[in-house]
Amino acid sequence: MGKHDEPRVLDLLGTALSGGPTGERTSEFFRWKHRDNPFGASPGLVAESADGRVVAVRLFLRWEFVFGGEVIRAVRAVDTATHPDVQGRGLFRRLTTDLLERIEADTSLVFNTPNGNSLPGYLKMGWQEVGKVPIALHPIRPLAFARGLKELRASGDLTGTSQTWNSVDPAARCRFPTARQFFSDPRAAIGFDELVAEADAGDAAIGHDKLRTALTGDFLRWRYGEAPGLDYRIVASYKNGELTGVVFGRPRLRGPLVEFTLSQMVVRPGDRDTARTLFSGVAMSGCDHVATHLPRGSEAARAARYAGYATPPRTGMLLVARPVHPHPIDVHDLRSWQLSLGDLEVF
């Protein structure tokens, strides 16, 4: 798939998959996701009809994990679509298997979080379920949160994705500055790269035997500061003028509720006081509740339990994986992964 295919691919994705996480399929978002990714441009394939239309597309988002100091090259299966006119002809399977062959030389692992409609197709092609990545919740406005859950249960739309809910502007409810503003203000971001390096060293110590995304300042700027249309916000903590911790998250609608999706917390190893301070700050977001997943064993995860975050049963994001080459750990065991919500949401 070349750059010249982008307009036709965007048109197909909009037809088959609606507007995506930003509400519309824009060239800006596509380039950020598939061209500007610090892990590399996304490999992809398209199928064309006799009249030159793109009728199917298969894209793999490049990613890198580390395990015991070794870089594990991976891809995430994303943005697959088949035009309604040609569904049922095996294009999804053919494009996927062909693309797997093309990436085999430089990729060790494929992973993704499929929905119920696409899961059977992946399982038939060799993917296996890893498990549900649990999502912890914390009410900020308990009465509004309880009413919203009641409405969601009554409607049967527990994901909150129905288009029938009344329109609410989540951005107007959130009081935090944007990630873009934070990174564009040299005074606010002083010491950010040093903080990230120390936090990553702490993550490496507790997750040396797990697959995890290595944190760098450049990666976090791309992931949260440059993401177009996603409205990532910042909660920052300072002590004696020094940056001690940062939270990245975004306000979004969940049916009648406004959720603050806490994607990433960056704190130094052992600094539980800063983690607690950041959770106190997140509680001032103006949203109805917070949702997050934090790396198991991290200071952030421990502080979340102290702050009253709880994981409802039978909820979470289903993670599936398909090794391309043998691995020293069982990638189909959820305990082999050390993830933040930011590794999974949006993509």
Side-chain angles (χ1 to χ4, degrees), residues 1 5-34 42 57-59 61 76-82 115 163 228-230 346-347:
M1 192 189 86
D5 293 313
E6 183 180 309
R8 295 182 298 163
V9 167
L10 284 171
D11 183 64
L12 173 61
L13 291 173
T15 298
L17 302 178
S18 71
T22 66
E24 57 179 336
R25 301 278 175 175
T26 66
S27 294
E28 185 183 20
F29 185 82
F30 188 90
R31 286 194 295 271
W32 167 80
K33 180 176 178 179
H34 293 298
S42 300
V57 61
R58 165 84 279 180
L59 286 160
L61 179 78
R76 178 169 180 169
V78 297
D79 293 347
T80 178
T82 305
N115 58 35
Q163 300 299 311
L230 288 177
V346 164
F347 299 111

Side-chain angles (χ1 to χ4, degrees), residues 227-243:
L230 288 177
D231 195 25
Y232 279 106
R233 305 298 182 96
I234 282 283
V235 182
S237 173
Y238 298 86
K239 185 175 182 180
N240 299 324
E242 179 187 11
L243 182 66

